Amino acid sequence: MNVLITGGTGFIGHALAQHLSRLGYIVTVLSRNPDKVAAICGPGVNALGDLKLLKAEDAYQVIINLAGEPIFDARWTEARKKLIRDSRINLTEQLVDSIERMATKPDLLISGSAVGYYGDQGDAVLTEQSAPRPDFSHRLCADWEQAAQKAEQFGVRVCLIRTGLVIAGDGGLLKRMLLPFRLGLGGRLGSGRQWMSWIHREDWIAIAQAMISDHSMQGAYNATAPNPVTNREFTQTLAYCLNRPALLPVPARLLKTLLGEMSELVLGSQRIIPERLLAQGFEFQYPDLVSALKQALIKQEMLKT
């Protein structure tokens, strides 16, 4: 089976590309730096430098769309927000245009989204059926999903994967948090009462694999573990796993001053349940935070050696 991955050199994408390649899939990664794809994703993974290089006769049974500028790498100026939107929505529109030109359409498009789709909703329990609260993150995700769903007009099955905070040992959220927590300088953010919906990267990959294998899966799915936690619980659990204290909270006012509008990413609250995955019998390998963090920390130590 031929698979095309956009964003395939990223934190989730490179691990997914490696996984599918090991299973025998023929994997191609779209990258602005095609010469680096083999080093990042493995020697068996092909590289594509531009969607314009796709030919009408090229055939991919599955396309997985994960491309986009990092959300948390710089303060949200108007220019930065435009870049974040364009890197997701414009690329997705170009991808759907490419699908239209293909003589053989893909069977499946898995397109990225995020739990930011729901906006800041406090303690409310949220499922795929919950109404969102409009803000920048919601509008970004909603427009991104809408662009991907246009592929359905060409007979393509579309799955939207609303991803929570992803845990793994080689990057992402955990990499940002480890240094202060190892030094005993970690603590809750703001009140600590905001909910964090998280997922281990191996479970995320298993969800994508399920979407490929199960042709009944279609539409939006929450890619989060079934046990969301508050920020206070998350930081206390990480400190426990590292055998360190978590005594230095960061005030919400300081976060808002430092991060501006982007502070909604760490102070906003989404208490997400993966209702549709659970209804379909999906089994999480890491359903609780302790097991997820311990595995990621073990992996992180292995990477040092």
Side-chain angles (χ1 to χ4, degrees):
M1 181 182 291
N2 289 336
V3 179
L4 174 65
I5 304 176
T6 73
T9 58
F11 171 57
I12 296 175
H14 87 276
L16 176 64
Q18 291 170 358
H19 170 81
L20 294 177
S21 182
R22 286 194 297 268
L23 292 179
Y25 291 80
I26 300 170
V27 180
T28 299
V29 165
L30 175 70
S31 173
R32 290 172 293 184
N33 299 297
D35 294 340
K36 297 182 179 180
V37 166
I40 296 172
C41 300
V45 176
N46 303 312
L48 179 70
D50 196 309
L51 281 176
K52 295 176 182 176
L53 298 175
L54 284 176
K55 303 179 181 65
E57 61 269 22
D58 289 337
Y60 295 97
Q61 286 74 47
V62 176
I63 297 177
I64 303 172
N65 178 33
L66 305 176
E69 285 290 322
I71 291 284
F72 206 79
D73 277 14
R75 191 181 177 94
W76 284 359
T77 62
E78 290 305 313
R80 180 67 185 175
K81 289 197 292 184
K82 184 177 187 304
L83 180 62
I84 289 170
R85 282 184 56 87
D86 290 350
S87 66
R88 288 162 172 75
I89 297 164
N90 289 358
L91 188 282
T92 302
E93 291 173 345
Q94 293 169 24
L95 190 60
V96 172
D97 289 342
S98 298
I99 290 172
E100 182 179 12
R101 294 194 300 271
M102 291 178 178
T104 303
K105 311 300 184 195
D107 299 319
L108 169 66
L109 170 63
I110 299 174
S111 196
S113 186
V115 296
Y117 173 90
Y118 299 100
D120 182 0
Q121 302 225 32
D123 291 331
V125 176
L126 305 172
T127 73
E128 291 87 351
Q129 305 306 315
S130 299
R133 179 181 177 184
D135 58 15
F136 172 72
S137 295
H138 164 69
R139 291 189 297 272
L140 171 66
C141 293
D143 291 347
W144 194 10
E145 292 183 7
Q146 187 177 32
Q149 286 177 305
K150 291 179 181 177
E152 292 176 342
Q153 65 186 302
F154 307 118
V156 178
R157 178 167 62 93
V158 176
C159 288
L160 306 167
I161 188 160
R162 293 176 180 165
T163 302
L165 299 164
V166 181
I167 294 172
D170 60 345
L173 172 71
L174 192 59
K175 183 178 180 180
R176 295 178 184 275
M177 298 181 72
L178 271 182
L179 180 58
F181 273 80
R182 286 192 190 280
L183 295 173
L185 302 176
R188 58 177 168 79
L189 302 178
S191 69
R193 293 193 296 270
Q194 68 273 30
W195 288 87
M196 299 175 67
S197 295
W198 58 274
I199 188 168
H200 194 287
R201 188 173 62 189
E202 289 185 13
D203 280 326
W204 192 101
I205 290 171
I207 292 168
Q209 181 68 61
M211 289 173 171
I212 294 171
S213 303
D214 187 345
H215 292 247
S216 71
M217 295 182 73
Q218 189 165 359
Y221 290 84
N222 291 332
T224 60
N227 296 299
V229 296
T230 63
N231 176 263
R232 182 189 296 272
E233 183 178 351
F234 190 101
T235 53
Q236 289 176 342
T237 303
L238 177 57
Y240 163 78
C241 291
L242 291 169
N243 195 27
R244 295 289 190 275
L247 303 175
L248 295 176
V250 183
R253 182 177 298 178
L254 177 59
L255 287 167
K256 291 176 181 178
T257 300
L258 293 173
L259 302 177
E261 186 181 357
M262 191 169 65
S263 64
E264 69 183 45
L265 293 178
V266 294
L267 296 176
S269 180
Q270 291 102 23
R271 188 179 182 180
I272 308 292
I273 300 298
E275 185 176 70
R276 295 193 68 201
L277 288 173
L278 295 174
Q280 292 188 239
F282 182 85
E283 295 185 6
F284 287 82
Q285 186 175 355
Y286 301 100
D288 65 276
L289 185 59
V290 171
S291 65
L293 286 176
K294 285 188 173 181
Q295 191 280 341
L297 291 169
I298 290 170
K299 181 71 172 180
Q300 203 260 350
E301 288 299 319
M302 291 172 58
L303 291 171
K304 289 181 179 179
T305 60

